[in-house]
Amino acid sequence: MFKFNSHKKKEVRIGIFSLKSQSGVAKVKLEDGLYTNLIDGSDVKVKHGVIQINQNPVIIENR
């Protein structure tokens, strides 16, 4: 997992990439809720600090 800090103080972008093209889970320090994948516009659900991921890359940012 990579974190990219942008110009705003508390805005954080998180990128999750499966290097083996496999599904899995990733733990993140974000509030539960729906986030938008900045790559393809799909919804990404965070529940109990966990994201279910598939083979596609995900980049989300906090609100």
Side-chain angles (χ1 to χ4, degrees):
M1 177 171 51
F2 300 96
K3 290 186 178 181
F4 302 100
N5 288 326
S6 67
H7 298 288
K8 294 180 183 178
K9 273 189 173 182
K10 294 186 180 183
E11 183 177 297
V12 176
R13 290 186 180 159
I14 297 174
I16 303 167
F17 309 91
S18 174
L19 301 178
K20 295 184 178 182
S21 296
Q22 296 178 352
S23 299
V25 297
K27 291 183 180 181
V28 294
K29 292 184 178 181
L30 293 173
E31 292 183 23
D32 288 357
L34 282 180
Y35 295 81
T36 301
N37 186 347
L38 300 176
I39 295 174
D40 63 9
S42 64
D43 289 335
V44 177
K45 183 178 181 179
V46 175
K47 186 173 182 179
H48 303 296
V50 175
I51 297 175
Q52 296 283 335
I53 57 168
N54 56 27
Q55 302 90 334
N56 300 323
V58 173
I59 297 178
I60 57 176
E61 64 185 0
N62 68 341
R63 301 174 247 199

